[in-house]
Amino acid sequence: MLFENNQKLLRMCRTVCEGIQRAHKHRTVPLSEKKLSRYFVDQRRVKVCAGSGGNGAASFHSEPWKEWGGPDGGDGGAGGDVIIRVDRQVKSLSAVSPVYRGKDGEAGSSKNRFGRNASPTFITVPLGTVVKEEAGAALADLSLHQQMFTVAYGGAGGKGNRFFLSNENRAPLTATPGEKGQERVLQLELRTIAHAALVGFPNAGKSSLLRAISNARPAVAAYPFTTLKPHVGIVQYRDHEQVAVADIPGLIPGAHLNRGLGVAFLRHIERCRVLLYVLDMSSEEPWEQFQQLRFELDQYKPLLSHRPHAIVANKMDLPEARRNLEALRSRVPQTVIPVCALTGENTGDLILHLRRMYDSFPLSTDSVTHTHTQS
């Protein structure tokens, strides 16, 4: 009896240990910023080949009591289209394959049976995806959830010999093959959709500021280029209005020439309605940072820096920041909002000013071509 009880206790302990090992094995470990950046892809070259149409059939009706039956070959089905579809749950182009082939239509058969049309092949992309030809011409700007755009049309099905029946030709032998589907090479580009963009040099505190004013949780560290992919946070207001703010990876002088992280993330600023220039007030002459940032934006796209904007003077908890703040205000006419993202000091004023700019400029950024200065 004692031996049996010991055996049962041993089996129970073994079962518990195995359960703990399985739980530990399948435990979800948060990915680091560097690993996350591997899964963030904002450009993709894609070759699409739509499906070919099914062949038409050449056959004649045959029954024991009908020696000379007429033609009864059916038409082939149409090939499947290749369609790009937007899904707001998707955040990157990393899942997009380099090649997509549509399904072929079914061939026709005897007894006037038509082939089935092939179902379409879908390419799922995030909001803000721009579809371009390989040569660079834009085909579509996909900015709505569930928006679809057909990039390659399937080939038409072939005709069966029943189609060619006429008074002159009572026994046609002709049946045509299905047409080939359309083939093309496309360039997909993702541009982050946000109402406002945090623009600044590396280590200016953009990620910390985004954490302080929104629900986003980007990585924060005391070294440059901590942010390797754009983050979008949502600023909630009491009237339930939501403003999306994007943390653009740090720019450096010469970014428009593909230095540093290069132009890979400059395109994400194009869709933003409002720009927030984040300056490190502990650096020497932060007003020079502001001029360099505007220069880089204008070199990438003329008048991009002239969109509605304000200056966020960050790191005001440091001793030299107070002195630089007065010098900055004397050199620029724009609105300067001193904040400390680390402690949250004055972030409330920044959130209110952001809302005022958001309400004042409801048009899309593509229509903003005039120069505006916040004062």
Side-chain angles (χ1 to χ4, degrees), residues 237-242 355 359:
Y237 291 92
R238 291 183 178 179
D239 60 353
H240 305 291
E241 187 68 58
Q242 296 181 341
R355 179 61 186 274
D359 292 337

Side-chain angles (χ1 to χ4, degrees), residues 17-80:
C17 292
E18 290 177 353
I20 294 174
Q21 290 177 355
R22 285 195 298 268
H24 181 75
K25 181 179 179 181
H26 296 91
R27 184 178 60 183
T28 302
V29 179
L31 295 176
S32 66
E33 179 75 16
K34 183 172 289 187
K35 289 183 179 179
L36 280 171
S37 65
R38 298 175 187 173
Y39 303 104
F40 181 82
V41 178
D42 63 349
Q43 275 190 326
R44 188 70 97 186
R45 182 179 181 271
V46 181
K47 181 180 180 180
V48 292
C49 305
S52 299
N55 297 329
S59 65
F60 291 88
H61 184 70
S62 177
E63 293 183 41
W65 56 88
K66 286 186 179 181
E67 184 177 358
W68 305 103
D72 67 349
D75 299 344

Side-chain angles (χ1 to χ4, degrees), residues 27 72 86 141 149 160 162 171 174 185 200 205 217 250 254 300 328:
R27 184 178 60 183
D72 67 349
V86 178
D141 189 348
F149 177 70
R162 170 71 181 178
T174 304
V185 177
R217 291 295 176 264
Y300 173 72
L328 175 64

Side-chain angles (χ1 to χ4, degrees), residues 80-96:
D81 300 335
V82 179
I83 301 174
I84 293 180
R85 180 173 56 191
V86 178
D87 187 350
R88 62 187 172 197
Q89 301 298 327
V90 178
K91 303 301 181 184
S92 171
L93 296 174
S94 58
V96 176

Side-chain angles (χ1 to χ4, degrees), residues 239-305:
D239 60 353
H240 305 291
E241 187 68 58
Q242 296 181 341
V243 178
V245 181
D247 172 17
I248 306 300
L251 306 178
I252 65 172
H256 69 282
L257 300 175
N258 217 21
R259 294 174 183 169
L261 295 177
V263 300
F265 298 115
L266 280 171
R267 70 173 64 90
H268 295 277
I269 304 176
E270 290 188 51
R271 293 180 179 271
C272 296
R273 184 188 307 179
V274 174
L275 304 181
L276 296 175
Y277 293 97
V278 183
L279 305 182
D280 181 0
M281 296 306 292
S282 64
S283 62
E284 295 184 3
E285 299 182 344
W287 48 89
E288 291 294 334
Q289 292 185 17
F290 175 60
Q291 298 301 332
Q292 290 175 1
L293 289 171
R294 298 190 66 182
F295 175 78
E296 293 299 329
L297 297 187
D298 288 338
Q299 290 298 308
Y300 173 72
K301 184 176 182 180
L303 299 181
L304 181 58
S305 70

Side-chain angles (χ1 to χ4, degrees), residues 7 24 46-47 100 102 126 171 183 197 221 225 235 242 292 301 319 329 351:
Q7 289 295 323
H24 181 75
V46 181
K47 181 180 180 180
Y100 284 89
E183 296 186 12
F225 298 112
V235 181
Q242 296 181 341
Q292 290 175 1
K301 184 176 182 180
R329 282 176 167 165
I351 292 174

Side-chain angles (χ1 to χ4, degrees), residues 63-184:
E63 293 183 41
W65 56 88
K66 286 186 179 181
E67 184 177 358
W68 305 103
D72 67 349
D75 299 344
D81 300 335
V82 179
I83 301 174
I84 293 180
R85 180 173 56 191
V86 178
D87 187 350
R88 62 187 172 197
Q89 301 298 327
V90 178
K91 303 301 181 184
S92 171
L93 296 174
S94 58
V96 176
S97 302
V99 178
Y100 284 89
R101 297 188 181 277
K103 301 176 182 178
D104 295 337
E106 291 185 359
S109 58
S110 59
K111 298 182 181 180
N112 295 316
R113 288 179 292 191
F114 285 26
R116 179 178 297 176
N117 295 334
S119 57
T121 299
F122 291 99
I123 305 175
T124 305
V125 299
L127 282 167
T129 300
V130 178
V131 183
K132 294 184 177 181
E133 289 275 14
E134 189 176 21
L139 298 175
D141 189 348
L142 308 177
S143 56
L144 299 174
H145 179 56
Q146 294 297 331
Q147 184 178 356
M148 291 188 288
F149 177 70
T150 303
V151 292
Y153 290 94
K159 300 298 183 182
N161 63 339
R162 170 71 181 178
F163 177 82
F164 298 98
L165 177 65
S166 65
N167 291 331
E168 293 76 18
N169 187 0
R170 304 302 300 174
L173 299 175
T174 304
T176 60
E179 297 179 0
K180 286 188 175 182
Q182 187 180 9
E183 296 186 12
R184 65 198 313 183

